[in-house]
Amino acid sequence: MNPWPSPNLLWVTGGAAEGATPLNAFDNALLAAGIGDLNLVRVSSIVPRGARLADAPLQIEAGSLVPTVYAVVHSDTAGDTICAAVGIGIGKDSHGMIFEHHASARDVAKRVVTGMVEEGFARRGLPLERLLVHVADHRVERVGCAVAAVVLWWR
Amino acid sequence: MNPWPSPNLLWVTGGAAEGATPLNAFDNALLAAGIGDLNLVRVSSIVPRGARLADAPLQIEAGSLVPTVYAVVHSDTAGDTICAAVGIGIGKDSHGMIFEHHASARDVAKRVVTGMVEEGFARRGLPLERLLVHVADHRVERVGCAVAAVVLWWR
Amino acid sequence: MNPWPSPNLLWVTGGAAEGATPLNAFDNALLAAGIGDLNLVRVSSIVPRGARLADAPLQIEAGSLVPTVYAVVHSDTAGDTICAAVGIGIGKDSHGMIFEHHASARDVAKRVVTGMVEEGFARRGLPLERLLVHVADHRVERVGCAVAAVVLWWR
């Protein structure tokens, strides 16, 4: 018996912001990503078979409990670049995987999550049908945060 | 479709304790807070619109899966004061927010979470109707832990 | 009201692996443990009263949301031994507790989680009927990870 149905809809998003504290910067980055009013339940990190990518931001009621995979990075060093990335591997008639990484350069973040997804599929012997990467980056002014996220939802 | 109904009841609590290990100190602090026999699912950190504050400790069956926002702080330095705080902002006809912080003094912990909640509401352009802060503090003897928590539940 | 039924089945497992990155090593360790294709929702850490131990690996559909208690340890120091342990205390007509620890030697990991479980029961004044420990260990080659886990599921 499984009382929690598997999600079948993915929403890939990201955002970055400054804040008076690291937690406020995180909150503001989540708002920038459109997910700041949700109760995120962090999960690791499988795309259920047949899950579809949302083609527009989901409208989810504030305060909902929302399973989410995310990468987050903070910095309080002015001038730093911070990059949070998620890589989403969609399988061919199989489940897929999501990997997270953060780095100080977009291309690094992108390259690393791409490699992670490729290794995840290779290790499972599954063909990778489609690979998406989303990177949120930010140049820190005082206290900054970048978040890249995949919301797992139900259609 | 959303298979997980949004919580509509908040229970604010906290506690502190010593333990033989940091994890036991955490367990004992949760027991002191009245939530040590629950399966806490950590979430970030929205008060659903219309959620009510419990006016007494909730009776929840041991082993239940319970969405909870919490701040936790550990120390193994004898004589340290450790303070964990949650700040709960209740909206006026809107959702609200919960922020967590830990510090080495009660007034600092309280001031910081208060500022966090105020920034959260200001950033969203929402009026803050009511602000509650709960701080759990502890003077460390050997291995100590303090926890402040908001249980999100259903009435 | 509680929309999330309490789990009543426990599956104790563990695994270890190398990977190109720490996150891939974690993914590969989860695969070795038989839980790499699940969306793990990390919880702390109660055995509901009457929950039964699974006597064989559970067959759970890929991408399911699965409440899980786990200990994890990473290292990128070649030659290191890493050990992740869970200790499961089953109560006599009561709920029980699960504790996690990681260490650099099996016997240490085992001894520490055993003590944790004993303290957890003693502190609650509950008799400990049965104690299980599961340790996953690994000798690091380049980037390694060990995971010990208890899946909380429903029968």
Side-chain angles (χ1 to χ4, degrees), chain A residues 126-151:
Chain A
L126 292 174
L128 173 57
E129 178 159 272
R130 184 177 171 200
L131 172 63
L132 268 94
V133 173
H134 188 97
V135 184
D137 60 5
H138 181 67
R139 175 65 80 92
V140 177
E141 293 164 31
R142 213 178 56 87
V143 177
C145 179
V147 175
V150 184
V151 169

Side-chain angles (χ1 to χ4, degrees), chain B residues 20 27 36-40, chain C residues 3 44 46 95 116 119 123-124:
Chain B
D27 184 45
D37 288 327
L38 306 177
N39 276 313
L40 304 180
Chain C
S44 76
I46 298 298
H95 59 283
M116 286 171 158
E119 179 175 343
R123 174 64 77 122
R124 287 166 175 84

